[in-house]
Amino acid sequence: MEANMNLLHDVGIQTTHWLQQRFQGSQDWFLFISYAADLRNAFFVLFPIWFHFSEAVGIRLIWVAVIGDWLNLVFKWILFGERPYWWVLDTDYYGNSSAPEIQQFPLTCETGPGSPSGHAMGAAGVYYVMVTALLSAAGGEKQSRTLGYWVLWTVLWIGFWAVQVCVCMSRVFIAAHFPHQVIAGVFSGMAVAKTFQHVRCIYHASFHRYLGITIFLFSFTLGFYLLLWTFGVDLLWTLEKAQKWCSNPEWVHIDTTPFASLLRNLGILFGLGLALNCHLYQESSRLKQGQQLPFRLGCIAASLLILHVFDAFKPPSHTQLLFYALSFCKSAAVPLATVGLIPYCLSQLLATQHKKAA
């Protein structure tokens, strides 16, 4: 088994080496793709846009992203996947022969296990939601679909797979993942998104259900970690690898650790449940301003601006518990502002202007 994995890893290292040599001048492009594929952009950019055009799609996007990333964490803890940037320096596979020289970048030194790729899984799930939502809006009845629909179908799915190929190549290029890890991530993300196409309860879930699911996900993860820890399995073994083999210690960030991503995602889910069941959201919906395109565009613009300010806030990392707590609160504020606060403030402002005009 170990020999087969070493061979698979060697193929991955050779692929990374070839990409870095072949596309040496394209490192800025690959770094941009890795940055753009981060789930943070799904929460801070894609969610506000989709929610204010189609609430159901925005809600599904959040659920797919959060549950997909939670499953990704569980899979990583089960599979114990290596990462190329430390494996090539840590392994004795190459013996006395020189190992291929692998370059590292600012986004290379992630601290969690490598399999499956979280970036590939998240991008596949989120973009699958968006593509299917667009096709559903354009499709109508199956019997009445026109040539234009099938042209759109072809363009969107070609675009979807182009994005996945770029994300996969990016993660392999920067030596954050092996090829088999990004492939597993893509198909896992699609499976999660496909599953949530048939889950209808998420659109009308109460705050208590959101709270219960948030507590369950956290408790399961913490319990799984403690259970394996009692059996002598250290699930944070990868942090030591990252700190040891990353060529620049400043590239190792606490926000890439497993519990940081877990609390960030749970904060998003908790905040969404709170926002959808709060008075601000219900009041703005009652005023029916959301049915007007200018109002929707105003909500999108205001959300993107305010969330950009949120994103600029970086919780202090000198104390891990404080960092985790502030990350949770920061994430919870994203849907609270997008779903509740901003639409309510804009609806009140427009209502005041209408009264003055009358």
Coordinates of all heavy atoms in Angstrom, one line a residue, residues 45 65 69 85 113 158 231 316 326 347:
V45 N -18.7 37.3 -1.9 CA -19.0 37.9 -3.2 C -20.2 37.2 -3.9 O -21.2 37.9 -4.2 CB -17.7 37.8 -4.1 CG1 -18.1 38.4 -5.5 CG2 -16.5 38.5 -3.5
A65 N -21.7 24.9 0.2 CA -20.3 25.3 0.6 C -20.0 24.9 2.0 O -18.9 24.3 2.2 CB -20.2 26.8 0.5
D69 N -17.5 21.7 2.8 CA -16.3 21.9 3.5 C -16.1 21.1 4.8 O -15.1 20.7 5.1 CB -16.1 23.4 3.7 CG -14.6 23.8 3.8 OD1 -13.9 23.5 2.8 OD2 -14.2 24.5 4.7
Y85 N 4.4 19.8 -1.2 CA 5.5 20.7 -0.8 C 6.3 20.1 0.4 O 7.4 20.4 0.6 CB 5.0 22.1 -0.5 CG 4.3 22.4 0.8 CD1 5.0 22.7 1.9 CD2 2.9 22.2 0.9 CE1 4.3 23.0 3.1 CE2 2.2 22.5 2.1 CZ 3.0 22.9 3.2 OH 2.3 23.1 4.3
P113 N -4.4 18.4 6.2 CA -4.2 17.2 5.3 C -4.6 17.6 3.9 O -5.4 18.5 3.7 CB -5.0 16.1 5.9 CG -5.2 16.5 7.3 CD -5.3 17.9 7.3
I158 N -19.2 23.9 -20.5 CA -17.9 24.1 -20.9 C -17.1 25.0 -20.0 O -16.0 24.8 -19.5 CB -17.8 24.6 -22.4 CG1 -18.2 23.5 -23.3 CG2 -16.4 25.0 -22.7 CD1 -18.2 23.9 -24.8
F231 N -6.8 7.6 21.2 CA -6.2 6.4 20.6 C -4.8 6.7 20.1 O -4.2 5.9 19.4 CB -7.0 5.8 19.5 CG -8.2 5.0 20.0 CD1 -9.5 5.7 20.0 CD2 -8.1 3.8 20.5 CE1 -10.6 5.0 20.5 CE2 -9.2 3.1 21.0 CZ -10.5 3.7 21.0
P316 N -6.9 38.9 15.5 CA -5.6 38.7 16.0 C -5.3 37.2 16.2 O -6.2 36.5 16.7 CB -5.6 39.5 17.4 CG -7.0 39.6 17.7 CD -7.8 39.7 16.4
L326 N -13.5 35.0 17.2 CA -13.7 36.2 16.4 C -13.9 35.8 14.9 O -14.7 36.5 14.2 CB -12.5 37.1 16.5 CG -12.3 37.9 17.8 CD1 -11.0 38.7 17.8 CD2 -13.5 38.7 18.2
S347 N -34.9 49.3 2.6 CA -36.3 49.4 2.4 C -36.9 50.5 3.2 O -37.8 51.2 2.8 CB -36.9 48.0 2.9 OG -36.7 47.8 4.2

